[in-house]
Amino acid sequence: MIQISESAQTHFRRLIEREALPGLGVRLSAMNPGMANADVRLEFAEPGDLLGDEWAIDCEGFTLWVDASSVRYLDAAEIDYETKAAGGQLQIRAPKIKGEAPADTASLVERVRWIVEHEINPQLAQHKGHVSVVEVTGDGVVVLSFGGGCHGCGMADVTLKQGIEKTLLTKVPGVTAVRDATDHATGDAPYMPRDVA
């Protein structure tokens, strides 16, 4: 399930030996799994810190505990420790942490949400904005709500038509149009105020 290199095991073993706490191990969990901003959390764990449903991976001299709800996202993960001139660097690769794109047979809503969360929102985050899927109608119209820097932004219409709609029409078969359900007059921190655009 998870590959942990000898150098990584040696690194963890040294750290654990310094702490001198009986039963101390390492716990690995996925933070925001299935999302574009997913990340890995690695921490020391004493037996009393565990919930009891973690998966245990026995390593030489310690146990790596994997959070049960994170298992499917951390499957095939690799943990390595690379020694460099200025010290060492721990590397964790978890290819499934952001989830897997839904199959073409998945519902239109699932496919739209995937593209919004994994392609559109990361781009909008550059301007401190995001969109949420309000509804996907039976005839393929995606209704969105803008938030953050996009709420009240003078360029929201351009973003909707030239960016979001083009992306969804191209990447999600079944989408026929994209509409904005946001009351932009109530935006309090737009990236670009409407009177400037």
Side-chain angles (χ1 to χ4, degrees):
M1 177 186 130
I2 294 177
Q3 299 298 319
I4 179 166
S5 72
E6 286 297 322
S7 60
Q9 290 186 48
T10 300
H11 174 68
F12 289 134
R13 198 168 38 254
R14 273 193 228 125
L15 294 173
I16 288 169
E17 287 170 0
R18 283 187 209 158
E19 296 298 319
L21 294 171
L24 187 66
V26 178
R27 179 169 43 199
L28 181 67
S29 56
M31 308 302 293
N32 302 313
M35 305 296 285
N37 64 342
D39 203 354
V40 176
R41 181 176 183 166
L42 195 61
E43 60 190 344
F44 289 121
E46 295 181 67
D49 297 332
L50 302 173
L51 300 174
D53 62 351
E54 292 87 356
W55 288 38
I57 299 173
D58 291 325
C59 298
E60 191 174 325
F62 69 97
T63 301
L64 175 70
W65 301 98
V66 182
D67 182 63
S69 63
S70 301
V71 168
R72 71 182 181 125
Y73 297 102
L74 297 174
D75 185 34
E78 298 175 4
I79 303 172
D80 190 23
Y81 184 79
E82 187 177 327
T83 305
K84 299 189 177 204
Q89 181 174 350
L90 189 65
Q91 297 176 353
I92 303 174
R93 292 176 193 87
K96 297 181 181 179
I97 196 163
K98 293 184 179 183
E100 297 180 63
D104 293 341
T105 56
S107 74
L108 183 58
V109 173
E110 288 177 87
R111 292 180 287 129
V112 166
R113 285 184 195 269
W114 174 266
I115 295 295
V116 165
E117 289 304 320
H118 290 85
E119 292 188 29
I120 294 169
N121 276 337
Q123 292 176 11
L124 296 178
Q126 295 173 11
H127 297 156
K128 298 182 176 151
H130 64 274
V131 291
S132 302
V133 178
V134 174
E135 173 186 18
V136 179
T137 68
D139 57 349
V141 176
V142 176
V143 181
L144 300 174
S145 175
F146 283 84
C150 292
H151 186 182
C153 179
M155 297 300 290
D157 294 341
V158 174
T159 299
L160 181 74
K161 290 296 179 189
Q162 298 301 314
I164 298 170
E165 187 171 62
K166 275 188 176 182
T167 299
L168 289 174
L169 288 171
T170 302
K171 296 190 173 195
V172 186
V175 170
T176 57
V178 179
R179 302 284 181 259
D180 182 3
T182 312
D183 177 3
H184 286 284
T186 62
D188 59 2
Y191 179 72
M192 183 177 294
R194 292 181 95 62
D195 57 354
V196 174

